[in-house]
């Protein structure tokens, strides 16, 4: 992309109503635009980050033969009434709206009910199972507080995966595979070292469900971890009984804050029973389908990465998430000629700052936008056959030959 052709503008200061650091930096760097509290637009750079996150998740889930779908955001109350979850007393974050022809609809806060209901049309026999489907969807939740930038939206993007099985063992096997996929996903997202599978309440056969918590100073959750971080517990389950159950003692546990980037649940019959999702087994009896559900907060993950790696100059994106790999700056006549040549054919990798502004301003924006490598092609270094490449994360700058640069770009 050429910056001269883009409508985005970087800002020296964040808007006054943006108190969260992720929201402030992402706004200043031109990744998002705030519509109102908890509601954001994703601009070209921000959308590329979202797409990169989605693609990592998609690749890892497709390896487990999960099938991607997209369900509707508008919700028919009927299946939700069968589980009691259309009630505002039961679920206090609904956005609801009225049909002009009469009747109420909901805006989906999640999709367990509609997916279970929908699959009644496709699952009838043990031969149809196991099955797993996922989507990337906008969810709507009337959250009481939405002050954490894109970490907590009233409209946000989630990946939700649902799995369907004939037996508890098969659900357990698949659940373990999803745990493996989640490890790979969070590693590729660059937050693997600081993201922990965390015991939480809400388990249906087992006592626990699992959350994926990324340690983060501004995280809204409190978690407890032991010395080697092999056991991490959510606040709700941090008590003597649970510690004893897990065979650990509480003495060495420390408290920290974290952001929940995902969670996984064995639902058993929680939805299949009230919604009547059944299958005929090998001996011709009707049985309820075992279910699991597995979420990742796609837009929250983007906010967590922004918060986690930012420094005093701006954002710092891990390579697999970055909207572009290289930020290109040309200085001088020959510098510009060579930069044009380098850019041609590499438009997907390079963000070319070809604006008519001072190099200093370009360098500041390169830092603010957090592009992993900055390339400067100037008459001065070209005279020695070299170009400058600077690593955003380490700040390390070095000279490489034009050939080396061309080589890098073919990778
Ligand atoms: P939280 O406790 O943070 O409200 P939750 O338990 O309501 O999360 P789920 O309903 O299981 O979360 O949603 C799955 C994932 O979606 C969460 O793990 C989180 O990463 C993300 N998520 C949930 N609520 C929001 C929100 N309001 N804004 C952005 N992401 C969210
Ligand atoms: Mg919530």
């Amino acid at each position: 992309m050429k910056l001269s052709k883009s409508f985005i503008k970087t800002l020296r200061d964040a808007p006054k109503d943006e108190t969260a650091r992720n929201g402030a930096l992402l706004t200043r760097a031109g990744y998002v635009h705030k519509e109102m509290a908890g509601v954001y637009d994703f601009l070209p750079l921000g959308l590329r980050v979202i797409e990169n996150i989605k693609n990592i998740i998609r690749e890892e889930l497709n390896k487990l033969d999960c099938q991607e779908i997209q369900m509707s955001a508008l919700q028919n109350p009927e299946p939700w009434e069968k589980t009691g979850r259309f009630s505002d007393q039961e679920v206090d974050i609904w956005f609801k709206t009225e049909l002009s022809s009469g009747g109420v609809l909901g805006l989906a806060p999640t999709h367990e009910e509609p997916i279970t209901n929908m699959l009644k049309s496709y699952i009838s026999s043990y031969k149809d199972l196991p099955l797993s489907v996922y989507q990337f969807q906008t969810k709507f939740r009337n959250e009481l507080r939405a002050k954490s930038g894109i970490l907590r939206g009233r409209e946000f993007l989630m990946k939700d995966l649902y799995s369907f099985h004939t037996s508890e063992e098969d659900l357990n096997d698949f659940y373990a595979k999803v745990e493996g996929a989640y490890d790979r996903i969070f590693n590729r997202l660059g937050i693997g070292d600081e993201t922990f599978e965390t015991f939480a309440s809400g388990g249906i056969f087992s006592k626990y469900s699992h959350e994926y918590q990324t340690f983060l100073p501004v995280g809204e959750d409190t978690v407890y971890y032991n010395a080697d971080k092999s056991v991490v517990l959510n606040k709700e389950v941090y008590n003597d009984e649970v510690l004893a159950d897990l065979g650990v003692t509480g003495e060495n546990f420390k408290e920290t804050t974290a952001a929940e980037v995902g969670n996984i649940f064995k639902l058993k019959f929680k939805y299949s029973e009230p919604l009547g999702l059944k299958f005929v087994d090998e001996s011709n009896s009707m049985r309820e389908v075992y279910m699991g559900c597995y979420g990742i907060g796609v837009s929250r993950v983007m906010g967590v990465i922004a918060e986690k790696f930012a420094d005093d100059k701006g954002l710092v994106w891990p390579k697999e998430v970055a909207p572009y790999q290289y930020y290109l700056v040309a200085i001088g006549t020959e510098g510009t000629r060579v930069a044009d040549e380098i850019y041609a054919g590499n438009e997907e990798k390079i963000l070319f700052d070809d604006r008519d502004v001072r190099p200093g301003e370009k360098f500041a924006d390169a830092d603010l936008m957090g592009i992993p490598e900055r390339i400067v092609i100037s008459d001065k270094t070209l005279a020695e056959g070299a170009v400058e490449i600077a690593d955003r994360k380490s700040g390390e700058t070095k000279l490489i030959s034009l050939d080396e640069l061309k080589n890098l770009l073919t990778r």
Side-chain angles (χ1 to χ4, degrees), residues 27-55:
T27 304
R28 285 184 52 213
Y31 284 72
V32 304
H33 175 82
K34 186 177 182 174
E35 288 287 341
M36 56 188 129
V39 182
Y40 289 83
D41 305 313
F42 292 85
L43 306 182
L45 291 175
L47 189 57
R48 287 179 75 98
V49 171
I50 290 286
E51 291 302 320
N52 288 343
I53 296 171
K54 283 164 61 173
N55 277 331

Side-chain angles (χ1 to χ4, degrees), residues 141 143 150-153 156 158 260-263 296-297 300:
R141 294 185 184 182
E143 303 273 5
I150 61 169
L151 296 181
R152 183 170 299 282
F156 65 96
M158 193 200 287
E260 182 193 314
V261 287
N263 58 26
I296 292 183
R300 179 177 290 178

Side-chain angles (χ1 to χ4, degrees), residues 139-187:
K139 310 290 184 192
F140 300 90
R141 294 185 184 182
N142 201 343
E143 303 273 5
L144 187 59
R145 276 178 297 276
K147 291 183 183 159
S148 300
I150 61 169
L151 296 181
R152 183 170 299 282
R154 294 200 166 106
E155 175 179 329
F156 65 96
L157 199 62
M158 193 200 287
K159 179 284 293 175
D160 41 333
L161 163 68
Y162 304 92
S163 73
F164 303 84
H165 310 268
T166 56
S167 69
E168 185 171 339
E169 299 78 70
D170 196 55
L171 168 58
N172 288 342
D173 283 352
F174 185 76
Y175 192 88
K177 285 186 192 150
V178 175
E179 291 176 307
Y182 271 37
D183 283 346
R184 290 192 293 277
I185 289 167
F186 293 120
N187 282 334

Side-chain angles (χ1 to χ4, degrees), residues 266-312:
K266 292 176 188 173
L267 297 167
K268 201 176 179 180
F269 307 135
K270 185 171 175 185
Y271 298 95
S272 48
E273 200 258 314
L275 289 159
L277 178 62
K278 294 186 183 154
F279 70 100
V280 177
D281 72 9
E282 273 127 314
S283 53
N284 242 354
S285 343
M286 280 285 247
R287 289 171 43 204
E288 257 122 27
V289 173
Y290 287 81
M291 282 177 62
C293 73
Y294 319 82
I296 292 183
V298 173
S299 47
R300 179 177 290 178
V301 160
M302 176 174 169
V304 166
I305 296 171
E307 287 274 349
K308 204 157 185 61
F309 300 114
D311 61 19
D312 54 353

Side-chain angles (χ1 to χ4, degrees), residues 187 190-196 213-216 229 258-259 308-309:
N187 282 334
I191 52 175
D193 291 350
E194 294 271 295
T195 301
F196 300 95
Q213 293 278 2
T214 309
F215 288 7
L216 189 72
K229 297 179 182 144
K308 204 157 185 61
F309 300 114

